[in-house]
């Protein structure tokens, strides 16, 4: 079972990447499970066509002993299994609490034994690396992490923090860094900045998804690009990225940059 | 003593707004204190010309009993007093922990009695509304909150979450919503979207800062626009915004939008 996490700053394109590579892998015959670990809980919208109840929603309504797998796992495009952790109401406890509850419930309900996924993808909020959001790293829930970024200093700062989080847990249940994913979510397109950042971390760039109108256009229709425009170049890029990630065996313990090194990268922009 | 918070999604322009309106108020003869409550800890860079030690840095080095006010409060442009809370290493405890430590230390060291600021501005991370980042709301540390946003759905989602946080604590130490600040940090410029969002919340838009090259240009030189280009239109806009906020007495308990209402706003885009 291949398990990996997609981390990155809010709005950087994690859910876009996760839902599209899940669709690509499903199209390729794999049994895929995607786990939304962002309180925004909208990762599965493009795979299922609507919002699904989150684990926290069901947990609040029924409590842990009455919950069934079919109430929290939903099948979408290509048979991809989707779970949304959900989040507490803002201001009520740790925003990452849903991630902890969801991973616990899936374990209790024997989800992996039942559904036997070939691939499990975690879509995790990366603006802060703490509480429930650090759990996939802390508890070694996956083999490796891929960080979505743009060349924007804010995205790079967040990516660097995620690498600090990865390094923090290096000696227990270590989840390694597989690489960076350069997504077209910024006005400026400077691949050299992302390459230079990757090189300093000791990592590689797995692939690049350019800015594309197909992405929001598919999203408005609540579809992935794989479903909405299967013959497009963008769909092919997601297929390539899916394969590259699945086959990747190069994983490293990243060397996070200092504040000064980050400032230097920003001055290159 | 006028106290307010500036909240918003990471990278939306909080520190830009806070440092510039602080500079404007200082230019106008006020004694201003700014408190960085974002682990990024770079809000005071444009006021002081370099990064300053954070409260958590000094706390880790010396412990609470050895700390002096002059080790954590630094004077910058126009005599503005700057404090940076700092954050723990990613993965080590709550990212908001610095905010709690910093506000405690300033209280212990009698900062407000010593320095007697006319205005105190809190610059607070708003990607998640929990832990230390919810503390200014939970503990009523200020009179009101202003949320920086663009018309980008991600920024609006975060702004809405902050409003949920404000509403959460409505019945204890309530900090009200003063209004939204529309900052030019998005490719798209659609003021009607921000106006429509404000209207549904029951709030008003305090002002608008357009996208401007002066801002990053001043920042590269580690200055506010007020210092770098005091005669520019942008400097005047910050002066107006500073005054508008300081004089504002309209504060409301916001009516946060549901997921469906947020989706509708996004479909308008
Ligand atoms: N390469 C791209 N080109 C154009 N729009 C994109 C691209 N990637 C993402 N988007 C858009 O950006 C927004 C945020 O993406 P999303 O995947 O939801 O981010 P995250 O899950 O990291 O918060 C979505 O509206 C999505 O349609
Ligand atoms: N109106 C604007 N026009 C152009 N650049 C801006 C504007 N506002 C902010 N920026 C730039 O955007 C970046 C993020 O702003 P910042 O204030 O640091 O965000 P935050 O404190 O919310 O994380 C900075 O590099 C800043 O120079
Ligand atoms: S640990 Fe992180 S996510 Fe949890 S309360 Fe603190 S800031 Fe929020
Ligand atoms: Mg997402
Ligand atoms: Mg800031």
């Amino acid at each position: 079972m291949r398990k990996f996490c997609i981390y990155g700053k809010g709005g950087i394109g994690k859910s876009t990447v996760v839902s599209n590579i899940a669709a690509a892998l499903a199209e390729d015959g794999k049994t895929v499970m995607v786990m939304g670990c962002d309180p925004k809980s909208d990762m599965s919208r493009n795979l299922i066509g609507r919002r699904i109840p989150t684990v926290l929603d069901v947990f609040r309504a029924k409590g842990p002993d009455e919950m069934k797998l079919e109430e929290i796992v939903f099948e979408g495009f290509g048979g991809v299994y989707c779970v949304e952790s959900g989040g507490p109401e803002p201001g009520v406890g740790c925003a990452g609490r849903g991630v902890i509850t969801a991973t616990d419930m899936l374990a209790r309900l024997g989800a992996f034994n039942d559904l036997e996924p070939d691939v499990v993808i975690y879509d995790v909020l990366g603006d802060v690396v703490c509480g429930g959001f650090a759990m996939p790293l802390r508890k070694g829930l996956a083999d490796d992490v891929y960080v979505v970024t743009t060349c924007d200093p804010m995205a790079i700062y967040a990516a660097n923090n995620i690498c600090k989080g990865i390094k923090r847990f290096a000696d227990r249940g270590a989840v390694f860094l597989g690489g960076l994913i350069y997504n077209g979510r910024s006005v400026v397109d400077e691949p050299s900045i992302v390459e230079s950042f990757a090189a300093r971390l000791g990592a590689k760039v797995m692939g690049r998804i350019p800015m594309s109108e197909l992405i929001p256009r598919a999203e408005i229709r609540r579809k992935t690009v794989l479903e909405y425009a299967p013959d497009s170049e963008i769909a092919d890029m997601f297929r390539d990225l899916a394969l590259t990630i699945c086959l990747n065996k190069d994983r490293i313990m990243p060397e996070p940059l200092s504040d000064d090194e980050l400032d230097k990268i920003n001055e290159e922009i």
Side-chain angles (χ1 to χ4, degrees), chain A residues 3 9 28 42 67 86-87 137 146 158 173 188 191 204 220 238 258:
Chain A
K3 294 188 265 159
K9 183 171 169 46
D28 195 37
D42 60 0
M67 285 170 70
L137 306 176
Y146 297 85
V188 175
K204 59 187 195 286
I220 290 247
F238 280 123
S258 67

Side-chain angles (χ1 to χ4, degrees), chain A residues 15 38 40 42 123:
Chain A
S15 301
D38 185 323
K40 235 194 296 165
D42 60 0
D123 171 346

Side-chain angles (χ1 to χ4, degrees), chain A residues 67-90:
Chain A
M67 285 170 70
K68 303 194 190 68
L69 206 58
E70 54 268 31
E71 295 175 308
I72 59 174
V73 184
F74 296 81
E75 219 176 304
F77 175 79
V80 175
Y81 294 119
C82 301
V83 182
E84 288 287 1
S85 307
E89 273 308 294

Side-chain angles (χ1 to χ4, degrees), chain A residues 9 152-154:
Chain A
K9 183 171 169 46
D152 189 289
M154 306 282 119

Side-chain angles (χ1 to χ4, degrees), chain A residues 210-226:
Chain A
M211 180 168 280
S212 163
E213 283 190 12
L214 275 179
I215 289 172
R217 228 190 294 160
E219 187 176 75
I220 290 247
R221 291 161 177 76
R222 305 184 183 191
K223 293 182 174 161
T224 54
V225 177
L226 271 283

Side-chain angles (χ1 to χ4, degrees), chain A residues 124-156:
Chain A
V124 196
L125 176 151
D127 301 285
V128 289
V129 188
C130 48
F133 307 119
M135 184 195 173
L137 306 176
R138 201 170 61 242
K139 293 217 162 174
L141 298 184
D143 312 316
D144 47 359
V145 175
Y146 297 85
V147 185
V148 184
T149 188
T150 62
C151 49
D152 189 289
M154 306 282 119
I156 291 195

Side-chain angles (χ1 to χ4, degrees), chain A residues 19-97:
Chain A
S19 56
N20 277 282
I21 65 185
L25 293 170
E27 189 192 64
D28 195 37
K30 305 257 184 312
T31 302
V32 187
M33 184 165 192
V34 289
M35 239 190 96
C37 300
D38 185 323
K40 235 194 296 165
S41 309
D42 60 0
M43 172 222 42
S44 38
R45 249 181 63 146
N46 295 342
L47 288 164
I48 307 214
R50 64 178 197 283
R51 278 178 175 278
I52 57 176
T54 69
V55 175
L56 273 192
D57 287 335
V58 184
F59 189 90
R60 274 183 286 244
K62 298 199 150 194
D65 304 316
E66 298 297 315
M67 285 170 70
K68 303 194 190 68
L69 206 58
E70 54 268 31
E71 295 175 308
I72 59 174
V73 184
F74 296 81
E75 219 176 304
F77 175 79
V80 175
Y81 294 119
C82 301
V83 182
E84 288 287 1
S85 307
E89 273 308 294
V92 186
C94 180
R97 190 154 62 78

